[in-house]
Amino acid sequence: MNINTQAAHIGLEWDSRTGAVTVPVYQTATFRHPALGQSTGYDYSRSGNPTREALEKGIARLDNGYRGFAYSSGMAAITSLLLLFKSGDHIIVTEDLYGGTCRLFDKIFTQFGLGFSYVDTSDAAAVKAAILPETRALFVETLTNPLLKFADLPALAEICTQHELLLIADNTFLTPYLLRPLDHGADITIYSATKYLSGHNDTVSGLVVAKDPDLAERIYFHQNGAGAILGPQDSWLTIRGIKTLGVRLDRQQENAGKIARWLTTHPRIGKVHYPGLEDHPDHALMKRDSRGFGAMIAFEVDKPELVEQILLKTELISFAESLGGEESLITFPEVQTHADIPVELRQRLGINNRLLRLSVGIEDCDDLIADLEQALAFTPAGA
Ligand SMILES: *Cc1c(COP(=O)(O)O)cnc(C)c1O
């Protein structure tokens, strides 16, 4: 079945008693037992809740996985996954990582004896060279943040199989609509569903999908045991968002392609990072594996002074963190989303004081371009 149909039907037919077309919000903490030693299948909402389960089954289907799990945020999802490892274990990680994930690894989980190495995961030799006897997993972002490098999952999966490593893919920027990492060799996908999956900037949530039953059982043990579950209201909002995933992303990608091309022609704009542009280093690779190029753009302005001006002068495009919603948002990675990345690494990666990140929404594309044009037209003092 096409993913658009699967997405539109999440939660449908869940409530056979009333025939409700959308899954009800089961706002309950606990469930009555029919008799001693019997259960309706639900006992306590941390262990299982029907609204959350509709979302978990839905994302597992969209991702072609065995079982899905919903958490109170993307970070809670990653935290829960890290509980699969123990003190002394080592994980190899994509170097241009979401700042919050980097902070979780380096400042929180190193306290419990986990080790992390940051490498350019587009370089297979670098990944192999980083493998230690205690390495247990490779954690990659399928499309990185903010520089939009695309992971060659089949190549990475081969290395992981050879060395018995789990391949964990943060697929937040692409969603199963554009890429299904489990089909390309990943073992686990994670999502900040706060972004494209929910898609309306109205809820914070996280999702995980496991490829096989053994892994799923271990992940469930930690979801229930550590308890960072998504509540029924937010599960419902995430389901509602996912129903329109395809239509939103189609429009967002179309807008992003036009805006990226327009930016390349603007005299005050330097590098434009968008994988849909033919000169992007991963353009061909992404064309091979992904159904689209996503709707995130990073670009450099010619002078640092212009950064603040753009953030202040754009009117339709809001200066705010986060991404993936209907509304276009712009942010300054160096001081916001990526402040927790070590300075030397930021500089090497090109996350500098002229780089802006744009999350393109579903607004009319000409309106968005006009907004950027007027913001760029002001000449900053002394520039
Ligand atoms: C936002 C984000 C996260 C964290 O998710 P939250 O829902 O904010 O906790 C993780 N990975 C990526 C790629 C993100 O963009």
Side-chain angles (χ1 to χ4, degrees), residues 73-75 78 98 101 141 145 170 172-173 192 194-195 204-205 323:
S73 69
M75 294 325 302
I78 299 175
Y98 173 69
T101 308
E141 289 182 2
N145 180 5
D170 180 337
T172 298
F173 275 32
S192 168
T194 314
K195 318 292 170 55
V204 172
S205 72
L323 59 111

Side-chain angles (χ1 to χ4, degrees), residues 17-197:
R17 192 176 66 83
T18 68
V21 170
T22 59
V23 62
V25 179
Y26 287 88
Q27 192 66 51
T28 183
T30 191
F31 301 83
R32 282 187 292 151
H33 302 301
L36 192 63
Q38 285 183 23
S39 165
T40 58
Y42 302 99
D43 300 312
Y44 184 62
S45 273
R46 169 159 43 72
S47 311
N49 173 285
T51 316
R52 192 177 90 223
E53 196 179 328
L55 170 61
E56 292 175 331
K57 290 204 157 139
I59 189 66
R61 263 181 107 188
L62 295 190
D63 238 353
N64 228 356
Y66 176 74
R67 184 164 173 186
F69 303 90
Y71 299 90
S72 53
S73 69
M75 294 325 302
I78 299 175
T79 300
S80 207
L81 278 186
L82 288 183
L83 302 178
L84 294 171
F85 303 100
K86 59 183 193 317
S87 179
D89 286 352
H90 172 252
I91 300 174
I92 300 172
V93 185
T94 308
E95 61 181 1
D96 64 327
L97 198 66
Y98 173 69
T101 308
C102 186
R103 179 178 56 199
L104 176 71
F105 290 174
D106 282 357
K107 305 237 168 95
I108 301 179
F109 273 92
T110 49
Q111 298 183 108
F112 304 105
L114 290 191
F116 301 91
S117 294
Y118 294 85
V119 304
D120 177 355
T121 45
S122 63
D123 178 353
V127 174
K128 280 189 194 153
I131 297 173
L132 305 171
E134 56 273 26
T135 306
R136 298 285 172 265
L138 174 60
F139 184 103
V140 298
E141 289 182 2
T142 53
L143 189 60
T144 67
N145 180 5
L147 293 168
L148 307 162
K149 292 191 197 156
F150 184 67
D152 187 346
L153 287 177
L156 294 171
E158 206 181 308
I159 299 174
C160 288
T161 308
Q162 275 167 9
H163 294 86
E164 294 181 31
L165 311 181
L166 277 181
L167 179 54
I168 304 172
D170 180 337
N171 196 37
T172 298
F173 275 32
L174 291 173
T175 82
Y177 182 62
L178 301 180
L179 182 81
R180 288 167 147 163
L182 302 182
D183 289 353
H184 297 269
D187 300 294
I188 299 172
T189 48
I190 95 104
Y191 295 95
S192 168
T194 314
K195 318 292 170 55
Y196 290 100
L197 289 168

